[in-house]
Amino acid sequence: MNDHVPLKKLHIKTYGCQMNVYDSERMVDILRPLGYEVSDKAEGADLVLLNTCHIREKAAEKVYSEIGRLKEMREEKEARGEGRMTIAVAGCVAQAEGKEIMNRAPAVDLVVGPQAYHQLPELIARTHRSKGERLSADFAPEAKFDALTMDRAVSGPTAFLTVQEGCDKFCTFCVVPYTRGAEWSRPVKSILDEARALAAKGVRELTLLGQNVNAYNGLDADGLESTLAKLMYALADIQGMDRLRYTTSHPNDMGQDLIDAHRDLPAVMPYLHLPVQSGSDKILRAMNRKHGRQAYFDLIERIKAVRPDLAISGDFIVGFPGETDKDFEDTLDLIRRVGYASAFSFKYSPRPGTPAAGMPGQVPDDVADARLQTLQALIIEQQQAFKEKLIGQTLDILFEKPGRLVGQAIGRSPYLQSVFVEDAAHLIGQIHKVKIIANSNNSLKGELA
Ligand code: 5AD
Ligand code: SF4
């Protein structure tokens, strides 16, 4: 780095999904050459970036209270004579309500949507030059990835890699098609270049990210459309790239070659995040999910036929407009039939501009709360049952980081559970056979085999 550039403190706060985590890391990478080093607290930072999430109301509202807190910190910083704190809002709230942020939160200097992150250095410089003139960068459709991924830093043997963005599905509850735009896939070469660079830095496991990752159809070197399965074959060929995961998948995009990859490609981990949202055909229709519950069962049967030990994870929404007790029972029934290794569940949150927000039959809060509790209790039960089944098995564990006790290391099973092992700190960064000996709260305990 250039020694003449004085160090400036950058604090990034990330909300929401793994794609935001990935984007935040890339923003750090692109700002580092400008002299920004990461600070884990906002206090005293020269630049604070809020990477926001718009998926549910609560997530979006958090941003405004955070801006209020930052405004006070900025005043304190200036009073200490330490210069101005620049406040930037990125992510999906920035994309969805950029103008509203500018009006509602005058403290914000810069609003930048996910398609413009590669322009951050320039945008920040412009905010500085104009001494607080507020800028809003809007959707620029051009590919930003090559600019953002040239020299990415790694932390440990696992990494996220965005391969696809946006969504064309238009589920009636969801803002993603509006905030992240239409489905777009990165070209194969650009992904392979990034993956090779990561492998050279010791990364052994990639999680391929996309709002609709299994709809991936990026162009290959011959200008032909690829598929996620083909992409994974190429990634698995990279020396050292031993494990591949991908998220999030829509059931309707689960192609046969992707199912076959679960059988034929050892690098593809036996774990699949396959949200269904509801177990009621009536609600699935109202959600515009474009498939029914039987199709979901059939699909899972087909994947389990090639990979019987597959761990399945899902997302569920309770309290969607029109959801009756019977509809909710259908969801519980679906969960019992599938048997989940993990799942995320949410109370329906009406999002401005989405069709469901105006649907009749909005479910009272207390009813939705009670359903959420019932559903989550069932999921926890299944999660524990899945972990109990692993006791006594010997699994490949990729050790990621030290544990709390000296000598301990924490890694992940192929099925994504955390596993901690004594006297394994020397194995961090490697895959090792571990015998699972106990189920312990949120993780598993193992010993080197
Ligand atoms: N209300 C509640 N949950 C939602 N999700 C998406 N939109 C909403 C909403 N309006 C959930 C879905 C999705 C996950 C990422 O967030 O379950 O799969
Ligand atoms: Fe949202 Fe549905 Fe697209 Fe998932 S598939 S991002 S829930 S619109």
Side-chain angles (χ1 to χ4, degrees), residues 11 13 42 64-74:
H11 177 72
K13 192 159 180 178
Y64 290 100
S65 54
E66 186 63 23
I67 293 169
R69 233 168 49 95
L70 291 174
K71 195 170 158 261
E72 284 173 24
M73 284 185 202
R74 167 194 281 171

Side-chain angles (χ1 to χ4, degrees), residues 30 39 82 99 111 113 156 163 192 210 235 249 275-276 360 375 379 386 388 423:
I30 201 172
S39 160
E82 294 174 5
K99 286 214 177 68
V111 174
V163 303
L192 293 180
L235 288 166
S249 295
V276 63
L375 190 151
I379 293 293
F386 191 93
E388 295 286 337
D423 302 320

Side-chain angles (χ1 to χ4, degrees), residues 7-12 35-49 66 69-87:
L7 281 183
K8 289 168 277 185
K9 285 191 205 141
L10 162 67
H11 177 72
I12 295 202
Y36 284 100
E37 64 168 16
V38 174
S39 160
D40 54 12
K41 48 186 202 311
E43 192 92 60
D46 300 292
L47 170 61
V48 177
L49 243 166
E66 186 63 23
R69 233 168 49 95
L70 291 174
K71 195 170 158 261
E72 284 173 24
M73 284 185 202
R74 167 194 281 171
E75 282 157 14
E76 287 159 16
K77 184 171 184 279
E78 276 179 340
R80 291 193 300 268
E82 294 174 5
R84 187 180 159 83
M85 170 193 283
T86 301
I87 301 175

Side-chain angles (χ1 to χ4, degrees), residues 55 167-171 173-177 211-212 248 250 277 289:
I55 197 103
C167 182
D168 296 341
K169 295 284 183 295
F170 290 94
C171 298
F173 52 82
C174 186
V175 288
V176 167
Q211 268 92 28
N212 242 310
T248 290
H250 190 287
Q277 314 294 356
R289 290 289 295 179

Side-chain angles (χ1 to χ4, degrees), residues 25-340:
E25 290 170 358
R26 298 297 70 72
M27 288 192 263
V28 170
D29 289 342
I30 201 172
L31 291 171
R32 196 178 292 112
L34 279 93
Y36 284 100
E37 64 168 16
V38 174
S39 160
D40 54 12
K41 48 186 202 311
E43 192 92 60
D46 300 292
L47 170 61
V48 177
L49 243 166
L50 303 177
N51 192 2
T52 61
C53 172
H54 200 245
I55 197 103
R56 285 168 293 273
E57 190 184 358
K58 255 198 203 146
E61 278 305 313
K62 275 187 200 155
V63 178
Y64 290 100
S65 54
E66 186 63 23
I67 293 169
R69 233 168 49 95
L70 291 174
K71 195 170 158 261
E72 284 173 24
M73 284 185 202
R74 167 194 281 171
E75 282 157 14
E76 287 159 16
K77 184 171 184 279
E78 276 179 340
R80 291 193 300 268
E82 294 174 5
R84 187 180 159 83
M85 170 193 283
T86 301
I87 301 175
V89 179
C92 295
V93 179
Q95 186 60 46
E97 36 188 270
K99 286 214 177 68
E100 197 183 324
I101 297 172
M102 288 302 206
N103 293 333
R104 200 173 142 184
V108 172
D109 299 296
L110 175 66
V111 174
V112 51
Q115 301 310 324
Y117 291 160
H118 54 302
Q119 298 168 351
L120 256 185
E122 186 194 326
L123 292 170
I124 287 168
R126 267 168 51 195
T127 356
H128 288 164
R129 270 201 298 278
S130 59
K131 295 214 172 45
E133 180 205 343
R134 290 147 67 219
L135 297 164
S136 168
D138 220 358
F139 219 92
E142 71 224 59
K144 61 185 166 171
F145 284 98
D146 291 342
L148 282 179
T149 57
M150 277 199 331
D151 189 21
R152 64 176 281 196
V154 303
S155 54
T158 64
F160 292 135
L161 200 167
T162 296
V163 303
Q164 183 275 336
E165 274 194 314
C167 182
D168 296 341
K169 295 284 183 295
F170 290 94
C171 298
T172 53
F173 52 82
C174 186
V175 288
V176 167
Y178 312 96
T179 54
R180 288 276 175 166
E183 282 176 9
W184 180 79
S185 296
R186 277 175 84 180
V188 172
K189 180 177 181 307
S190 146
I191 295 166
L192 293 180
D193 286 348
E194 187 175 351
R196 282 193 200 99
L198 290 171
K201 290 177 178 171
V203 169
R204 308 285 303 269
E205 173 181 304
L206 282 183
T207 301
L208 309 179
L209 300 180
Q211 268 92 28
N212 242 310
V213 72
N214 58 346
Y216 175 83
N217 67 347
L219 298 181
D220 66 15
D222 300 322
L224 300 173
E225 270 193 17
S226 187
T227 63
L228 187 65
K230 282 188 194 148
L231 177 68
M232 289 203 290
Y233 275 91
L235 288 166
D237 269 345
I238 296 173
Q239 180 70 31
M241 209 48 96
D242 296 319
R243 289 180 157 198
L244 298 172
R245 304 180 183 279
Y246 58 97
T247 194
T248 290
S249 295
H250 190 287
N252 288 3
D253 290 318
M254 213 58 218
Q256 188 59 44
D257 66 341
L258 187 52
I259 296 177
D260 292 343
H262 275 277
R263 177 189 61 208
D264 300 332
L265 198 55
V268 177
M269 289 293 101
Y271 180 97
L272 178 61
H273 185 60
L274 195 64
V276 63
Q277 314 294 356
S278 168
S280 151
D281 276 330
K282 181 190 94 192
I283 297 298
L284 287 171
R285 216 172 309 123
M287 287 177 163
N288 191 32
R289 290 289 295 179
K290 304 184 176 88
H291 67 78
R293 60 187 259 131
Q294 191 55 45
Y296 187 73
F297 291 138
D298 293 347
L299 175 60
I300 286 188
E301 199 171 305
R302 278 170 55 217
I303 313 170
K304 284 216 158 171
V306 305
R307 192 74 215 225
D309 62 333
L310 187 83
I312 295 168
S313 145
D315 289 343
F316 294 93
I317 295 177
V318 301
F320 186 83
E323 185 186 72
T324 62
D325 286 341
K326 167 73 173 69
D327 295 316
F328 178 60
E329 268 308 318
D330 286 349
T331 299
L332 295 179
D333 176 70
L334 177 143
I335 294 171
R336 284 190 207 101
R337 286 208 209 178
V338 170
Y340 285 87

